[in-house]
Amino acid sequence: MFKRETPTPVLASVLQPPKEIRPFELTGGDGETFTLDNLRGQWTLVYFGYTYCPDVCPTSLAVMGQAMKELETEANVKGLLISVDPARDTLEQLKAYAPFFHPEITGLRGSDAQILEVATRYGTYYQKVEREEGKDYLVDHTSRIFIIDKNGELAGVARHGSTPQEVVDRVRRLL
Ligand code: NI
């Protein structure tokens, strides 16, 4: 679900110089620890979302997956889905969901504190939204694709609504 995204006049931006992301620790795959070191030596597209998201996350992750496919022959590009709903997003759930959009997208989760810390560093907002009885809650969240360079540093951002081609162009300009 998507709300409260601050409108920006450009579809994507490049950060100069890259912004260093401080060390973080999350969990992915079958329970392996995932840290900043896992990002080094590759380009990484990072998206914050959750597997129960009804519309925005699937659309954004499809865009991310298509961009990754397009870039396959040019660069080593991996994808990350960092869950803003770790209460429901188990590792099993993330493993079943994330690779659907591209085999190289890994779902990551962590404790509430760990997720909050990483999200804050990326300037990402998320908020649980209760709905009427009998309906599962939703999570409002910022919908941006972060572009991380080979040093694990934040190099660019593709805003919500970017097309796969816009994401590809943004990454190409950084390569
Ligand atoms: Ni979503």
Side-chain angles (χ1 to χ4, degrees), residues 146-167:
F146 297 95
I147 303 164
I148 312 298
D149 70 15
K150 287 180 172 181
N151 299 316
E153 289 171 351
L154 182 58
V157 182
R159 72 151 217 184
H160 177 68
S162 296
T163 65
Q165 195 56 50
E166 283 161 350
V167 177

Side-chain angles (χ1 to χ4, degrees), residues 1 47 49-50 53 56-57 141:
M1 173 145 181
Y47 187 78
Y50 65 113
C53 187
V56 173
C57 286
H141 62 89

Side-chain angles (χ1 to χ4, degrees), residues 109-139:
R109 68 183 305 285
S111 66
D112 287 342
Q114 286 172 318
I115 297 295
L116 179 63
E117 196 173 343
V118 177
T120 302
R121 285 176 193 176
Y122 282 82
T124 290
Y125 154 91
Y126 61 99
Q127 176 74 52
K128 191 170 162 180
V129 181
E130 297 291 350
R131 294 198 294 172
E132 60 266 45
E133 214 161 318
K135 285 195 171 182
D136 290 336
Y137 66 85
L138 298 172
V139 184

Side-chain angles (χ1 to χ4, degrees), residues 2 8 10 78-79 86 103 107 118 127 162:
F2 163 74
T8 42
V10 287
K78 306 260 196 276
V118 177
Q127 176 74 52
S162 296

Side-chain angles (χ1 to χ4, degrees), residues 3-141:
K3 265 188 196 171
R4 300 180 209 179
E5 176 83 348
T6 310
T8 42
V10 287
L11 284 170
S13 62
V14 175
L15 306 176
Q16 290 288 352
K19 188 178 159 193
E20 193 183 350
I21 303 294
R22 284 177 297 155
F24 64 83
E25 192 173 307
L26 295 171
T27 307
D30 294 312
E32 294 92 45
T33 299
F34 191 101
T35 70
L36 198 55
D37 286 337
N38 294 73
L39 301 179
R40 295 190 204 281
Q42 65 185 43
W43 287 82
T44 311
L45 301 181
V46 176
Y47 187 78
F48 288 86
Y50 65 113
T51 69
Y52 289 84
C53 187
D55 44 27
V56 173
C57 286
T59 306
S60 303
L61 289 166
V63 167
M64 191 161 110
Q66 285 171 49
M68 288 168 65
K69 193 158 189 274
E70 179 78 20
L71 289 161
E72 257 166 19
T73 56
E74 297 161 61
N76 178 14
V77 184
K78 306 260 196 276
L80 292 180
L81 166 63
I82 300 180
S83 175
V84 292
D85 185 18
R88 288 186 297 188
D89 283 344
T90 61
L91 286 174
E92 292 71 28
Q93 181 87 6
L94 288 164
K95 260 176 76 178
Y97 182 82
F100 172 78
F101 300 96
H102 190 287
E104 294 289 351
I105 299 178
T106 303
L108 297 178
R109 68 183 305 285
S111 66
D112 287 342
Q114 286 172 318
I115 297 295
L116 179 63
E117 196 173 343
V118 177
T120 302
R121 285 176 193 176
Y122 282 82
T124 290
Y125 154 91
Y126 61 99
Q127 176 74 52
K128 191 170 162 180
V129 181
E130 297 291 350
R131 294 198 294 172
E132 60 266 45
E133 214 161 318
K135 285 195 171 182
D136 290 336
Y137 66 85
L138 298 172
V139 184
D140 271 4
H141 62 89

